[in-house]
Amino acid sequence: MSVEKYINKIMQSTMQSTPGQVEFYQAVEEVLSSLLPLLHAEPKYDNLNILERIVIPERQIIFRVVWQDDAGRIQTNIGYRVQFNSAIGPYKGGLRFHPSVNLGIIKFLGFEQIFKNSLTGLQIGGGKGGSNFDPKGKSDGEIMRFCQSFMTELSKHIGETIDIPAGDIGVGGREIGYLFGQYKRLTNNFDGVLTGKGINWGGSLARTEATGFGSVYFAENILGKQNDSVKGKIATISGSGNVAIYTIQKLIELGAKPVTCSDSRGMIYDKNGIHLDTLKLIKEVNRQSLEEYVIIHPEATYLPVHKYPENTNAVWAVPCDIAFPSATQNELNLNDIKNLHKNGCKLVCEGANMPTTPEAVAFIQSNKILYGPAKAANAGGVATSQLEMSQNASMARWGFSEVDNKLSNIMKSIFDLSYNTSKEFGDEGNLMMGANIAGFRKVADSMIDQGAV
Ligand code: NDP
């Protein structure tokens, strides 16, 4: 059977055995199709059924999460932990709390995480989890009771050398704190079972900033290859959460001008450049809608989502040199990339996971727009989580610039590995292909070494 037919067969059987998991199929299709040059060169992967194995999680845990709201009513959510692949290390990946969460979304994120973690060069396997719980509008007490109930089940399946969850959408420092407190109460262990912890109780300096900073470092590497840099560039960013805020901060530090940010309700355009302190106050301290931004900065404009042109994300209609999708999956479609291209954007660097639709990725590739694919560009978060684990295991504590320097070096080595692999397989500069092949090869070879498990 040809390699193409073999991949097609795996896609068909994945769709048949796991119906309705569209985001998962999208992630699998992207990885498998970009492995073609490797599979042509190395028959061992299909001879040993590596692809069939790698698309099936080693374990998936689905559980009921029951908690009491402030009015005394009993509420019920679904919890997930997908332990996807442990060939190169213990499972590692974030927890997402968002009403859109289902098994297909957690599986897409867990699948991506396998290759991302491999690319970092660190010993971490791939996993992901979360719940359809919506933290928005909940009191602190409600968030705490939910986290405690969620951890009561999750604690049976994780451990510092087994599975080490972290944050993702809807799970930040507050949630990690409540989750860790409950884990400790249940197990009597103070260990590094979660990352993204508070600085006073085992967290690493620069972990909060890491994904956003890392994404900008990755963009610097891409532009550096063209003897260019982010300095002086107009940047558009979507999202206004952890990744977006620290992307904006690093861009400002390096002399770029970020002019947009967004949340699920609308977007801000500030031609003078996003005011970082205001953004942090609104989102990190007050947890408000971005609409508040224009009250403090009336020269900026706010556009609510219902006024976006049809089938368009208005963030990507703002003229820019470089774009950083940093909110969620499939937030940049074909219309959006055409808008970006028309307005002269030369680089799309993905802070979010799978933010660009397959049609938009194809447009990026055929129009030679520079592209930082998520599993490489946003790997700084998980890499710094591993640095947090190293500090916990050795009882060490590194300074901010020490961690930040390590992060910057890791992002450079991820870029070099992805770039060199793209060159090795005859499509120099195709970082999506380079990242997928490099990430896959290390995991697949480890699976082969470890036998039929
Ligand atoms: P946060 O919860 O901190 O922020 C998410 C942001 O995206 C918020 O502004 C949120 O708006 C917006 N958003 C979420 N869902 C939607 C949606 N369906 N439509 C429009 N806007 C939306 O999450 P993070 O910043 O941590 O994560 C952002 C992305 O980065 C995700 O794809 C995540 O998987 C990825 N990522 C995160 C890492 C990390 O270390 N945190 C590491 C690697 C990747 P609102 O507040 O209104 O919901």
Side-chain angles (χ1 to χ4, degrees), residues 313-370:
N313 182 339
V315 170
W316 313 125
V318 172
C320 68
D321 305 306
I322 50 180
F324 291 82
S326 308
T328 193
Q329 62 273 2
N330 293 325
E331 55 162 319
L332 196 163
N333 66 20
L334 188 58
N335 292 337
D336 300 320
I337 193 66
K338 285 182 176 166
N339 276 337
L340 284 166
H341 187 52
K342 185 180 73 195
N343 289 327
C345 174
K346 63 183 291 189
L347 166 68
V348 175
C349 190
E350 298 180 331
N353 282 311
M354 208 169 72
T356 312
T357 63
E359 301 74 28
V361 173
F363 186 93
I364 285 176
Q365 287 176 332
S366 55
N367 288 278
K368 302 273 172 239
I369 299 168
L370 297 172

Side-chain angles (χ1 to χ4, degrees), residues 60-113:
Q60 44 193 42
I61 301 140
I62 303 180
F63 51 99
R64 189 170 65 200
V65 188
V66 182
W67 55 283
Q68 197 166 32
D69 69 17
D70 287 346
R73 283 184 303 255
I74 298 298
Q75 302 283 350
T76 310
N77 288 96
I78 306 173
Y80 303 89
R81 187 69 185 168
V82 173
Q83 298 180 330
F84 225 118
N85 193 299
S86 62
I88 64 167
Y91 311 106
K92 176 107 198 80
L95 297 171
R96 176 177 290 192
F97 292 168
H98 193 271
S100 65
V101 162
N102 57 40
L103 184 58
I105 295 212
I106 298 298
K107 279 179 68 185
F108 118 65
L109 291 162
F111 185 70
E112 291 279 291
Q113 198 81 43

Side-chain angles (χ1 to χ4, degrees), residues 76 212 252 271 302 312 325 374 377:
T76 310
I252 295 170
K271 66 177 186 326
Y302 176 75
T312 302

Side-chain angles (χ1 to χ4, degrees), residues 373-387:
K375 61 172 77 61
N378 72 25
V382 71
T384 309
S385 276
Q386 205 276 355
L387 301 180

Side-chain angles (χ1 to χ4, degrees), residues 96 136 168-170 207 211 240-243 263-264 327 352-353 378:
R96 176 177 290 192
K136 246 183 246 149
D168 189 81
I169 290 178
R207 171 59 188 95
T211 309
S240 53
N242 173 266
V243 178
D263 61 18
S264 51
N353 282 311
N378 72 25

